[in-house]
Amino acid sequence: MAETSPFAALRRRPFLRWGLGITGALLGTSAGGWLALFGVAPSAGPLEVLGDREHRTLASLVPTILGRARHGLSSSIALAFDGFLADEPADVVSDLRSALLWIELGPILYDGRASIFTDLSQSEREAHFRRWMESDDPTRRMVATAFRKFINFVAYDDPVLWDEIHYPGPATGLR
């Protein structure tokens, strides 16, 4: 009769089988949770630096910062941001990508909500972003200010908007 010891489960093959099974289950659960939280972002086309999910987050920031009327600029500003990042050092790219993820997870981390930034309604996004602008946390204020400045810079650099804001164009001499 074979002798069974209390440590039989720790033998090499059963240990590997259980270890790999548990690791696979944890990875599957984590991937499923990540996918359930973020969903699948629509393809943004050829991007140099950003992923589709990051593009979606940035595109949802545009009408949040500029107002609902500027929703049509969302994709072009997000593409301009991607082009800007293409020439930046790796540490700057990493920081800005992290800032986008932080904004996306902001409602979960700071508001205790069960949804991400891009899943909020327009008015909820605006209120959430306003809280970031007025936060006592200097890092959140800095992230919000950086994205607000960049989005405004790109949007108002477009000559199509100049008539709407009564801007005569860049000064090229005496007026």
Side-chain angles (χ1 to χ4, degrees), residues 29-30 43 53 59 83-84 108 124 132:
T29 302
S30 298
S43 175
R53 205 178 56 245
F84 166 77
I108 296 168
E124 290 171 326
W132 275 55

Side-chain angles (χ1 to χ4, degrees), residues 4 19 21 40 42 50 56 77 85 89 100 109 121 125 127 138 140:
T4 58
V40 177
L50 298 176
R56 177 184 66 184
I77 289 177
L85 288 179
L100 281 170
L109 298 173
S121 70
R125 275 189 226 142
R140 281 198 285 168

Side-chain angles (χ1 to χ4, degrees), residues 48-108:
E48 294 184 54
V49 176
L50 298 176
D52 291 335
R53 205 178 56 245
E54 294 159 333
H55 179 273
R56 177 184 66 184
T57 303
L58 190 60
S60 69
L61 267 173
V62 172
T64 302
I65 293 170
L66 297 177
R68 293 179 179 125
R70 300 285 178 246
H71 184 72
L73 297 173
S74 297
S75 186
S76 62
I77 289 177
L79 289 173
F81 187 75
D82 183 63
F84 166 77
L85 288 179
D87 297 330
E88 292 299 307
D91 59 331
V92 172
V93 170
S94 175
D95 288 349
L96 289 171
R97 290 180 82 177
S98 295
L100 281 170
L101 179 62
W102 199 21
I103 285 178
E104 186 73 339
L105 293 175
I108 296 168

